[in-house]
Amino acid sequence: SWNQFNRFPWHSFIWRGIDGSEIIAHFPPEDSYNSELSPAGLRHAQENFEERDRLDEFLVLFGIGDGGGGPTEEFIENGLRQMDLEESPRVRFQPAQEMLDRLGQNKHLLKRWIGELYLELHRGTLTTQAYNKKMNRWCERKLREVEALYSLLPWTHYPQARLDALWKKVLLNQFHDILPGSSIKLVYDTTRKEYEEIKAELIALTSTAGAALLQQAEGSIAAVNTLSVPYNRPVSLPSSWTGYAVVDETGMSVPVQVSEGTPAALVEIPAFGSIVLHRGPAAPVTESDLPQSPILENGLIRYEFDATGVLVRIYDKEAGRDVMRPQQRGNLFSLYEDRPANWDAWDVDIYYENQLLQTAQCSGWNWVSDGPVAQILKFDFTIAHSRIEQRVYLARNSKRIDFFTRMDWHERHRMLRVSFDVDVQAAEANYEIQYGTVKRPTHRNTSWDMAKFETVAHRFVDLSEPTYGVALLNNGKYGHKVLDSTIDLNLLRAPTSPDPEADRGEHEITFSLLPHRGALEDSAVYAEAMQLNQPPAVFPDRTGSVVFPCTLSGEEAIVEVVKKAEDEEAWIVRLYEPRGRRAATRLMLRDKNMRVYETDLMERTISEWTPKEGALELHFGAFEIKTLKICTQ
């Protein structure tokens, strides 16, 4: 009912989600969650109710809803007087569930809505208060990691009460005005302290888990991959390892490179696995001649920048394809006037697109490092009163280019965006949401298409043709725009109400560009997004290996959760199909005598499954979620 441009057609309807499942939905036609049960409000609801030709009741949400209060005596009296009042809808006080149960009995009278329920308002909440959004993402991923690590120890080690308290604090800060960035300054002063406390405790819990799982060994490092896909990226080493060779458990030399005093090794860690690196004999830090131009290149791909820090060419060697046309540009920082008509922290209005103030000016660039692990460039930008420092990183074994970006932001009513224009033609782009993706138009044919000028994505948005595509990944941003062939990420806003200091200060974010062969469904985008957001847990001066309760045979499904069950000593493993197609995978158990039960999301048992020789064949529908409980005999 708050839509800015288009009227949603129904109040009572069937809503089908991305996995094909359906629920009955009802939007109270008074268009309010603060009803006073006034005759005028109820008459409006009656006349506004779209299904009034076939349904004879609707819900009214009465009371002081936004502040969490209940109804006043006056509201109750209004309702009592309208229980049988001529010319007024008859009021009945009942639990909402009773009305919804009756609505379910009339399912055959309801229309169906397929896909997302996009709100054409409050698009700025995808970006405002960037620190909270990034820390929420970090805490969710770190909690996932800690749960997985402690699931490898005896249950007596599992810190269930501490994890429960940490989860509740993280979830409390997802309240509808805190995480969206629409609270007052005092709230964000408080949440910053809370996030710092949560972070410190999670780091301490990780260290304790490592000490219990692994053996002490000076001069060694253990790295544990809690993902259900292999980790094939560089990992940072302690600065004390500078000047030493590095070998793996078999004694094979590992590529190492020192950049700005920090060594990194290029490693491959199996899915749900671990590796150990050992510090070898002293070795000189070799200095190679650095290239003279800002071009990052490996055996798979070539990225060319100009002296202003703008990406001007991408050539995919593997595909034999230019990813940008000559006039297209990438890594383009743009600053816009950002004064929404209403609701400063909440809204972004479409007319911002006509209020471009300037693009970033590059004050200098230089090479940071060029070695066997990665090539790294550094760019310094200025834009209005703010500065941007960027390190651009291309690993030797990947097409993914990472933009480690630090922003010193001192603006008011300005919006900073970064864009990549690529040579990919597609009428729809794919946006990752929780446990799946949604498709949205890249054009503005209709008012419904136009209204989606700013939309949400979690870890990536992807623009693909049937045989080739480009994805933009991130580790803590949500506001996106894909128009024609341009992928655009909203980095920072600068509202002044209700927090007059919103987002002023320093921010860090990593966004990554990933050209890939094939459409999204056949690409490495999912695995790369997981690796960007969930690097391995690294334990200095430790050695040993870990064994997870189960592994997957491939990447057709993703394991999102490995943790202890809430009410018993068993593992909970939650998986989902990410690509929107039917899939099968094989779940291998570490003990063939384990018992497996399928449960709902509340961990209530649905049925028992019988493994064969310690393995289960799992079959998924499109975007299906499965929750398994695994028990020992």
Side-chain angles (χ1 to χ4, degrees):
S1 62
W2 291 355
N3 269 3
Q4 190 173 21
F5 303 110
N6 301 282
R7 178 179 172 84
F8 191 79
W10 303 304
H11 289 101
S12 300
F13 59 100
I14 300 168
W15 181 24
R16 180 184 294 171
I18 60 172
D19 65 344
S21 60
E22 296 182 343
I23 61 171
I24 293 175
H26 179 73
F27 292 166
E30 192 176 355
D31 299 337
S32 173
Y33 51 82
N34 297 291
S35 175
E36 299 178 4
L37 288 177
S38 69
L42 295 184
R43 284 295 300 274
H44 164 74
Q46 182 183 40
E47 294 166 2
N48 190 44
F49 186 36
E50 290 289 345
E51 291 75 44
R52 61 186 180 275
D53 62 334
R54 54 191 182 277
L55 297 175
D56 62 357
E57 60 181 340
F58 54 80
L59 283 180
V60 177
L61 300 178
F62 61 94
I64 312 301
D66 204 17
T72 66
E73 291 182 7
E74 180 183 359
F75 297 174
I76 298 295
E77 185 63 27
N78 284 342
L80 292 172
R81 294 187 182 195
Q82 293 174 92
M83 293 183 76
D84 190 11
L85 180 65
E86 189 174 348
E87 297 297 323
S88 179
R90 289 193 177 94
V91 173
R92 247 186 298 179
F93 292 100
Q94 282 184 347
Q97 188 62 53
E98 293 186 19
M99 178 268 176
L100 295 172
D101 288 342
R102 291 192 295 272
L103 181 59
Q105 296 170 11
N106 290 303
K107 182 177 180 179
H108 61 286
L109 299 175
L110 303 181
K111 303 291 186 179
R112 182 173 281 100
W113 184 269
I114 297 174
E116 73 172 325
L117 299 170
Y118 177 84
L119 174 64
E120 298 176 4
L121 204 70
H122 294 351
R123 303 169 184 88
T125 61
L126 305 178
T127 302
T128 309
Q129 297 290 358
Y131 174 81
N132 272 51
K133 289 175 167 62
K134 183 179 179 183
M135 285 306 299
N136 177 74
R137 173 89 63 91
W138 186 90
C139 289
E140 286 184 333
R141 307 317 297 170
K142 194 66 175 178
L143 277 160
R144 176 196 177 279
E145 176 186 275
V146 169
E147 288 176 338
L149 291 173
Y150 278 93
S151 296
L152 309 181
L153 291 165
W155 295 126
T156 52
H157 289 68
Y158 200 87
Q160 191 153 357
R162 293 174 69 185
L163 286 172
D164 186 70
L166 289 168
W167 266 118
K168 286 177 178 175
K169 189 172 287 189
V170 171
L171 295 172
L172 174 65
N173 287 329
Q174 292 181 6
F175 169 71
H176 82 260
D177 274 318
I178 299 176
L179 187 57
S182 46
S183 287
I184 61 175
K185 184 177 186 298
L186 177 60
V187 168
Y188 295 106
D189 292 340
T190 301
T191 57
R192 184 172 288 268
K193 293 177 183 177
E194 290 179 343
Y195 280 130
E196 290 171 355
E197 293 167 357
I198 295 168
K199 182 177 180 179
E201 185 158 3
L202 287 173
I203 290 173
L205 282 169
T206 303
S207 179
T208 301
L213 282 167
L214 304 161
Q215 300 81 50
Q216 190 167 1
E218 188 175 352
S220 297
I221 287 178
V224 180
N225 177 19
T226 61
L227 298 173
S228 58
V229 298
Y231 185 88
N232 302 304
R233 303 287 305 173
V235 295
S236 296
L237 305 175
S239 57
S240 60
W241 285 41
T242 303
Y244 290 89
V246 176
V247 297
D248 62 17
E249 295 148 289
T250 67
M252 294 291 292
S253 179
V254 175
V256 176
Q257 180 178 333
V258 179
S259 302
E260 298 179 308
T262 301
L266 191 58
V267 300
E268 180 173 347
I269 311 175
F272 287 143
S274 61
I275 63 167
V276 175
L277 302 178
H278 303 285
R279 190 170 63 195
V285 177
T286 57
E287 297 282 345
S288 59
D289 292 332
L290 295 174
Q292 298 301 306
S293 55
I295 297 175
L296 299 179
E297 183 175 14
N298 60 27
L300 300 170
I301 202 161
R302 175 184 174 96
Y303 292 94
E304 298 181 12
F305 294 82
D306 65 16
T308 68
V310 173
L311 183 60
V312 296
R313 188 187 182 203
I314 307 171
Y315 181 70
D316 187 330
K317 299 179 181 181
E318 183 186 37
R321 171 176 176 147
D322 271 301
V323 186
M324 302 170 68
R325 294 189 298 274
Q327 71 274 21
Q328 292 181 313
R329 296 292 180 263
N331 196 38
L332 184 65
F333 291 98
S334 300
L335 189 71
Y336 295 87
E337 184 87 6
D338 183 24
R339 294 184 184 273
N342 297 292
W343 305 105
D344 197 15
W346 287 260
D347 281 359
V348 168
D349 282 325
I350 193 169
Y351 54 73
Y352 88 85
E353 295 180 338
N354 300 320
Q355 296 178 319
L356 175 66
L357 298 174
Q358 65 181 93
T359 56
Q361 303 299 305
C362 184
S363 56
W365 72 272
N366 61 273
W367 276 90
V368 175
S369 188
D370 180 15
V373 173
Q375 291 182 315
I376 309 172
L377 282 172
K378 179 176 179 290
F379 293 102
D380 292 298
F381 301 94
T382 58
I383 192 162
H385 305 97
S386 302
R387 294 184 298 108
I388 303 169
E389 180 185 283
Q390 194 175 60
R391 281 165 175 75
V392 186
Y393 192 108
L394 179 64
R396 286 294 182 186
N397 64 341
S398 178
K399 291 183 183 179
R400 188 183 105 195
I401 185 172
D402 295 335
F403 297 84
F404 299 95
T405 306
R406 179 180 291 116
M407 297 159 287
D408 190 13
W409 183 242
H410 299 284
E411 308 301 324
R412 293 284 193 279
H413 293 290
R414 301 289 186 265
M415 178 164 53
L416 179 66
R417 308 183 73 101
V418 65
S419 62
F420 294 85
D421 194 7
V422 296
D423 189 12
V424 176
Q425 182 178 344
E428 294 179 312
N430 287 282
Y431 297 73
E432 191 195 34
I433 61 171
Q434 56 274 42
Y435 291 100
T437 58
V438 295
K439 294 181 184 293
R440 301 190 182 108
T442 61
H443 54 77
R444 294 176 179 173
N445 284 355
T446 70
S447 61
W448 292 86
D449 300 330
M450 177 274 295
K452 297 179 181 180
F453 63 84
E454 185 85 350
T455 51
V456 68
H458 284 200
R459 294 176 295 191
F460 67 83
V461 61
D462 181 86
L463 186 65
S464 283
E465 300 169 352
T467 61
Y468 199 87
V470 178
L472 183 63
L473 288 58
N474 76 85
N475 69 348
K477 293 294 176 187
Y478 295 91
H480 294 74
K481 175 176 71 174
V482 182
L483 182 59
D484 295 328
S485 59
T486 301
I487 308 172
D488 187 300
L489 179 65
N490 197 339
L491 294 175
L492 289 169
R493 300 186 66 226
T496 58
S497 175
D499 178 2
E501 298 298 320
D503 282 324
R504 255 63 80 194
E506 292 189 356
H507 300 269
E508 291 183 352
I509 193 67
T510 299
F511 51 88
S512 306
L513 199 70
L514 178 63
H516 57 84
R517 298 175 70 177
L520 168 66
E521 294 79 14
D522 303 311
S523 74
V525 171
Y526 303 93
E528 292 283 1
M530 293 164 69
Q531 293 176 74
L532 175 63
N533 281 268
Q534 190 98 67
V538 176
F539 301 99
D541 297 323
R542 294 285 165 181
T543 189
S545 61
V546 299
V547 180
F548 279 75
C550 60
T551 57
L552 284 179
S553 61
E555 298 180 18
E556 290 298 312
I558 289 173
V559 177
E560 182 60 22
V561 173
V562 179
K563 71 179 190 72
K564 179 185 175 296
E566 293 299 307
D567 299 324
E568 59 184 292
E569 293 184 346
W571 290 277
I572 292 293
V573 178
R574 184 163 296 122
L575 314 90
Y576 72 100
E577 193 287 314
R579 294 170 176 83
R581 62 191 184 192
R582 295 185 181 275
T585 188
R586 187 175 175 85
L587 185 78
M588 283 78 69
L589 306 173
R590 75 181 185 192
D591 182 348
K592 66 180 182 180
N593 293 319
M594 286 175 163
R595 302 194 312 277
V596 180
Y597 302 87
E598 184 179 13
T599 76
D600 62 15
L601 292 174
M602 297 298 291
E603 302 179 13
R604 295 173 295 212
T605 298
I606 297 173
S607 60
E608 182 173 2
W609 291 0
T610 303
K612 294 182 180 179
E613 296 299 318
L616 276 173
E617 299 292 335
L618 300 181
H619 296 272
F620 289 83
F623 299 123
E624 184 181 355
I625 303 169
K626 290 185 185 293
T627 303
L628 307 181
K629 180 171 66 177
I630 302 176
C631 309
T632 56
Q633 291 285 8

